Amino acid sequence: MRISELSAKSGVAIPTIKYYLREGLLHQGQQTAATRAEYDEAHLRRLRLIRAMLEVGRLPVASIKKVIEAVEDESLPVHEMLGTAHYALSPAVEPEPGEDWQLARDQVDRLIADLGWDIAPHAPTRDELAQTLVRMRQLGLPIDLTPYAETARKLVSEVEMDKIPFHGPRDAAVEALVLGTVLYGKAFDALRRMAQESESARRLSP
């Protein structure tokens, strides 16, 4: 297909496609003339992935480039490729000075060990959860994340991971991970708030 057809099928404007080509986010098409190239389904998949990371994941171009590099590195195992996308979705968290931070970080490490989860030592989610625990402790909230962890494990192992095409195109696997992580995460949060409203009505309404 020509770039105009690629634009129509993907919903991405031609100037934006050309920008992705210049930045190396989208691989070049097959040259058929000096000013003409042909594109295929692989380009459509890549554009869907870029849109997912940009519009849904809200990732900056620099982070998208890192994910694209992981996708294109065929020597990189799928687990590590998906991890690159996972880490890109994690917010940047700076460790905080003081005892509260170290207590929270130690608690996160113990929780992971107790759950038997295989989480990389440098995973940004460790610091992300530690920051949340610091705020919970400062506000005097009870800290028992085991029920939440079990719910997360069940959702991921029995539902979410089955939606990722591990053995299909690498672009498609990362796209499914990004969309699932962000959109199902938002849906779960909304459902939890609905459940809270419903349970409050059940317990407190006359």
Side-chain angles (χ1 to χ4, degrees):
M1 71 188 88
R2 297 179 62 180
I3 193 169
S4 57
E5 187 179 357
L6 179 65
S7 174
K9 286 189 173 183
S10 66
V12 179
I14 291 177
T16 303
I17 292 175
K18 290 181 177 179
Y19 168 73
Y20 293 159
L21 289 167
R22 288 196 304 273
E23 291 295 314
L25 298 176
L26 183 66
H27 48 290
Q28 297 294 325
Q30 180 70 38
Q31 287 294 137
T32 57
T35 59
R36 181 179 298 178
E38 289 290 325
Y39 303 90
D40 56 22
E41 291 298 317
H43 291 90
L44 273 176
R45 282 198 304 271
R46 177 61 56 81
L47 285 174
R48 284 198 297 267
L49 172 58
I50 294 170
R51 290 191 67 180
M53 291 190 289
L54 190 65
E55 299 173 11
V56 178
R58 303 292 184 186
L59 297 181
V61 171
S63 295
I64 293 175
K65 281 185 176 182
K66 289 181 181 179
V67 177
I68 295 297
E69 288 172 0
V71 169
E72 293 182 342
D73 183 0
E74 296 284 346
S75 68
L76 194 68
V78 173
H79 173 66
E80 294 183 29
M81 176 190 72
L82 295 177
T84 302
H86 256 141
Y87 294 174
L89 290 170
S90 298
V93 174
E94 288 293 330
E96 301 175 12
E99 185 179 352
D100 284 351
W101 175 265
Q102 192 56 54
L103 285 172
R105 193 60 164 75
D106 290 344
Q107 184 174 354
V108 170
D109 294 343
R110 284 196 305 273
L111 176 65
I112 291 171
D114 291 344
L115 292 168
W117 287 2
D118 186 2
I119 309 297
H122 61 281
T125 44
R126 289 179 182 261
D127 285 343
E128 185 181 356
L129 184 55
Q131 185 181 62
T132 301
L133 293 184
V134 168
R135 300 294 174 261
M136 292 173 72
R137 183 173 286 110
Q138 290 172 343
L139 294 169
L141 295 174
I143 300 175
D144 180 10
L145 299 183
T146 303
Y148 295 89
E150 179 55 30
T151 299
R153 183 205 62 77
K154 187 173 183 178
L155 276 173
V156 169
S157 63
E158 298 180 10
V159 180
E160 292 186 358
M161 280 298 177
D162 289 340
K163 298 181 184 298
I164 299 176
F166 295 116
H167 305 295
R170 291 166 69 91
D171 302 66
V174 174
E175 180 191 13
L177 175 75
V178 171
L179 293 177
T181 299
V182 176
L183 296 181
Y184 282 110
K186 289 180 180 293
F188 179 76
D189 190 48
L191 287 167
R192 189 168 64 90
R193 293 197 303 272
M194 289 180 187
Q196 289 172 343
E197 179 181 348
S198 178
E199 183 63 13
S200 174
R202 187 187 70 82
R203 296 188 183 195
L204 303 175
S205 296

